[in-house]
Amino acid sequence: MRSDNIKRGLERAPHRSLLKAVGLTDEEMNLPFIGVVNSWNEIIPGHIHLDKLADAVKAGIRMAGGVPFEFNTIGICDGIAMGHTGMKNSLPSRELIADSIELMVEAHQFDGMVMIPTCDKIVPGHLMAAGRLDIPAIVVTGGPMMPGIVGDEPRDVISLFEAVGARRSNKLTDQDLKNLEDYACCGAGSCAGLFTANTMACVTEALGMSLPGCGTAHAVDARKIRIAKQSGMKILELVKKEIKPGRIVTEESFDNAIRIDMAIGGSTNTALHLPAIAAEFGLDLPLLRFDEISKETPHLINLRPGGSRYLIDFERAGGVHAIMQRLQERLNLDVMTVTGKSLGENLREYIIINPRTNQEIIATPDSPVHAEGGIAVLRGSLAPDGSVIKQTAVSQKMQRYSGPARVFDSEELAMRAIMENKIKSGDCIIIRYEGPKGGPGMREMLSPTAAIAGMGLIDSVALITDGRFSGGTRGPCIGHVSPEAAEGGPIALVHDGDTIEIDIPARVLSLKVSQEELEKRRKMWKAPASRVTKGYLARYQKQVGSGDKGAIIL
């Protein structure tokens, strides 16, 4: 066993004594040591229950003959960090989470690990560590929140972000806003729609790194506790059989995961996280691969924010494996999974317990919600290296657009203009210097996009940024513009009034300014001074790469 490095032999007597100081017996010294990597904390709704999931995981490990050791990672709530300087810390935390797991696992030589994350950057941070360490691992994502019920309708946190704009436009009363504030977010779990956290949970299951059903089993459902126990038991089998993440996560399983992401209409943030995860597995995952798979994958379920369904509807319809059953002719079925079986074997065994709901909620490839998948990659004179948009959340009216640029050098400046009603129908908001280096930290732009939606401008105003978006963003909002402004990309050269053209079907994003004029502007352009001078963000800014390659530390 790998853990023999810390517990076997004469020279390890001091190590055994320290282990006995935490309560281990001589009998336990002969068993596999399993790290229980928990991102529990008391500020993220998606993580407040993970202590209970960890208890279930540890029970499963003990039942199967292992010794669990729980340790924690940090975790940031994107919703609470949204719309202010705190969001600069969210994406950089992904790398820090992966690093902290690596240090703990390597120092203590665990034989395997069960990883317990839930929210946006925390799930990819765990998966990056799994690829880097390549010891037997299984992921138990914490599960979605139930939607709240307000005004006799299901609601979620995006309802609040959009309500801010609606209140500013006097479309809601103060009491309406208070009711949403009090009841929309009703307890433990990741936000109730298909935003980044739940997209990543579904993608993790599709990659083969979680047990079937884990991605959509809800935080308050006892089924999640059972999956946690089963995962604790299963890790011992993976250790015994030496089934490591590198055997599970391959180019073929990434293709499967992207295809499922496209079929469910997931968050654009997967275009950052999956390339970063692939890099830790020694694989290259170019941005254009998302577009290639999207073009040949139908969108099969219309979840929030693009549709009206919630994750609880997806769960009752059968979840990720139900979508995979629909698409199995397009999937690589021979890939290994953490069940110890192939995907094909898992699909043959997976039972749909609500067949009528399954048929009502999940479309067929022959009659899809949309002919193409959720994400489109746009390139052109404004984004030579690419940009991303959730095309299934854009109305038909805005699939092709042309309008004048309204340029802002920060999210705060753009938000102020929106809230002061200075943005008009037909405008194209440009928010720049918010990329991985320029931010630094590539902030999410949910506050401005949601305010636009709440004001009723979602079908007449576009927003383009070198930052990124929440999985809850909808409408003609294009992010990850690369190269970013801080690196001198064309987005840095846009002036107020320049014409911007968007053609989603043709995958084009253009700045309608002559090359001669752009060269004049480039000669006048100077990179702005850094917004940070010390601490983690300053180190991150020096090392982070481009958004089109996953914004990974180089």
Side-chain angles (χ1 to χ4, degrees):
M1 290 184 289
R2 191 171 183 265
S3 58
D4 288 349
N5 290 327
I6 64 169
K7 64 187 181 183
R8 292 290 182 200
L10 175 66
E11 68 277 17
R12 294 295 180 257
H15 304 66
R16 291 192 295 273
S17 183
L18 288 167
L19 289 166
K20 288 179 178 181
V22 299
L24 261 66
T25 65
D26 286 329
E27 290 79 8
E28 287 175 303
M29 296 291 180
N30 297 318
L31 302 176
F33 284 7
I34 307 299
V36 178
V37 188
N38 191 359
S39 289
W40 172 86
N41 64 44
E42 292 185 333
I43 194 165
I44 311 179
H47 288 232
I48 57 171
H49 64 302
L50 297 189
D51 54 338
K52 297 177 178 60
L53 283 190
D55 287 343
V57 167
K58 289 184 285 188
I61 291 169
R62 293 189 183 103
M63 284 191 290
V67 183
F69 295 87
E70 182 180 354
F71 66 89
N72 289 87
T73 81
I74 64 167
I76 288 173
C77 178
D78 275 28
I80 297 172
M82 192 75 66
H84 56 86
T85 189
M87 180 50 75
K88 294 176 184 290
N89 300 278
S90 176
L91 184 59
S93 75
R94 183 187 70 182
E95 270 64 24
L96 192 57
I97 289 166
D99 291 347
S100 67
I101 296 170
E102 175 194 358
L103 293 172
M104 284 293 290
V105 170
E106 289 292 85
H108 301 106
Q109 293 291 288
F110 294 120
D111 297 300
M113 54 186 175
V114 181
M115 314 178 94
I116 312 175
T118 302
C119 289
D120 297 28
K121 311 309 172 295
I122 305 158
V123 175
H126 282 239
L127 287 170
M128 289 165 69
R132 187 183 304 174
L133 293 163
D134 201 30
I135 66 170
I138 186 168
V139 181
V140 182
T141 49
M145 183 188 296
M146 294 293 291
I149 303 296
V150 186
D152 301 312
E153 296 290 339
R155 302 292 183 186
D156 56 33
V157 70
I158 305 305
S159 305
L160 264 301
F161 278 99
E162 295 190 357
V164 171
R167 179 67 193 95
R168 178 63 68 184
S169 299
N170 292 316
K171 296 179 180 179
L172 293 178
T173 66
D174 286 339
Q175 188 60 51
D176 292 332
L177 186 61
K178 183 67 161 58
N179 291 344
L180 284 167
E181 179 182 325
D182 288 349
Y183 298 106
C185 299
C186 61
S190 46
C191 301
L194 187 65
F195 315 137
T196 302
N198 290 325
T199 301
M200 285 306 305
C202 292
V203 165
T204 301
E205 183 178 334
L207 270 175
M209 286 297 293
S210 290
L211 292 181
C214 184
T216 56
H218 275 50
V220 297
D221 192 339
R223 181 167 174 247
K224 182 64 79 174
I225 297 291
R226 296 195 297 272
I227 289 172
K229 286 182 181 177
Q230 291 161 354
S231 297
M233 297 174 70
K234 181 62 68 174
I235 191 63
L236 273 298
E237 178 185 331
L238 299 181
V239 169
K240 182 178 180 180
K241 294 181 177 178
E242 296 186 341
I243 300 175
K244 300 177 181 179
R247 186 175 164 192
I248 294 168
V249 181
T250 62
E251 288 185 1
E252 291 77 16
S253 56
F254 270 113
D255 278 356
N256 286 346
I258 294 171
R259 196 171 302 282
I260 297 310
D261 183 19
M262 297 305 108
I264 63 178
S267 166
T268 53
N269 281 311
T270 58
L272 283 173
H273 299 322
L274 287 179
I277 295 164
E280 296 289 358
F281 280 89
L283 302 171
D284 179 44
L285 184 57
L287 182 60
L288 286 178
R289 187 65 182 139
F290 288 80
D291 204 50
E292 291 168 354
I293 294 177
S294 183
K295 286 179 179 178
E296 59 184 33
T297 304
H299 178 214
L300 298 182
I301 184 167
N302 212 13
L303 299 166
R304 292 269 292 163
S308 59
R309 301 285 190 177
Y310 289 79
L311 259 291
I312 189 61
D313 300 305
F314 190 17
E315 161 71 356
R316 289 167 178 163
V320 172
H321 273 61
I323 292 279
M324 296 181 101
Q325 285 181 343
R326 288 278 205 282
L327 293 173
Q328 58 187 306
E329 293 181 359
R330 307 178 192 215
L331 298 174
N332 297 289
L333 300 180
D334 294 331
V335 295
M336 175 61 72
T337 72
V338 291
T339 66
K341 301 175 183 179
S342 71
L343 175 60
E345 291 174 298
N346 291 345
L347 291 178
R348 286 193 291 273
E349 296 173 2
Y350 195 73
I351 298 171
I352 303 298
I353 61 170
N354 299 315
R356 187 175 66 187
T357 302
N358 173 271
Q359 294 297 319
E360 289 174 355
I361 291 176
I362 302 177
T364 64
D366 294 335
S367 184
V369 179
H370 297 98
E372 293 186 356
I375 291 175
V377 176
L378 312 186
R379 303 179 82 171
S381 57
L382 187 55
D385 293 339
S387 62
V388 297
I389 186 169
K390 185 186 281 193
Q391 62 173 340
T392 51
V394 181
S395 71
Q396 192 61 38
K397 175 182 176 182
M398 294 297 287
Q399 291 285 317
R400 292 182 174 87
Y401 160 92
S402 177
R406 296 290 309 280
V407 182
F408 303 93
D409 286 348
S410 72
E411 178 186 2
E412 286 83 359
L413 292 172
M415 189 64 179
R416 187 183 308 160
I418 294 167
M419 297 304 286
E420 292 175 356
N421 294 309
K422 293 180 179 178
I423 301 300
K424 306 302 180 185
S425 178
D427 285 345
C428 180
I429 300 170
I430 304 287
I431 304 178
R432 62 192 181 191
Y433 299 110
E434 292 286 6
K437 284 185 179 293
M442 204 177 187
R443 285 195 286 182
E444 289 184 350
M445 301 292 153
L446 178 59
S447 292
T449 63
I452 289 167
M455 290 176 166
L457 297 172
I458 200 69
D459 287 335
S460 61
V461 169
L463 192 151
I464 298 170
T465 181
D466 52 6
R468 58 192 178 87
F469 296 117
S470 161
T473 290
R474 61 190 178 98
C477 301
I478 300 169
H480 310 195
V481 170
S482 300
E484 62 173 291
E487 293 284 284
I491 192 171
L493 309 179
V494 182
H495 287 185
D496 274 334
D498 288 347
T499 298
I500 306 296
E501 287 192 356
I502 301 169
D503 190 332
I504 297 173
R507 304 303 202 254
V508 173
L509 176 61
S510 295
L511 170 61
K512 306 306 287 185
V513 175
S514 71
Q515 194 62 39
E516 181 182 18
E517 174 62 21
L518 287 178
E519 287 304 317
K520 288 180 183 178
R521 294 181 186 181
R522 186 172 298 282
K523 290 177 182 178
M524 298 291 292
W525 177 80
K526 291 183 180 180
S530 174
R531 299 179 186 181
V532 297
T533 57
K534 61 182 180 179
Y536 183 72
L537 286 180
R539 297 197 301 275
Y540 179 85
Q541 187 174 54
K542 292 175 182 176
Q543 297 176 307
V544 70
S546 177
D548 67 295
K549 294 179 173 60
I552 60 176
I553 296 293
L554 302 175

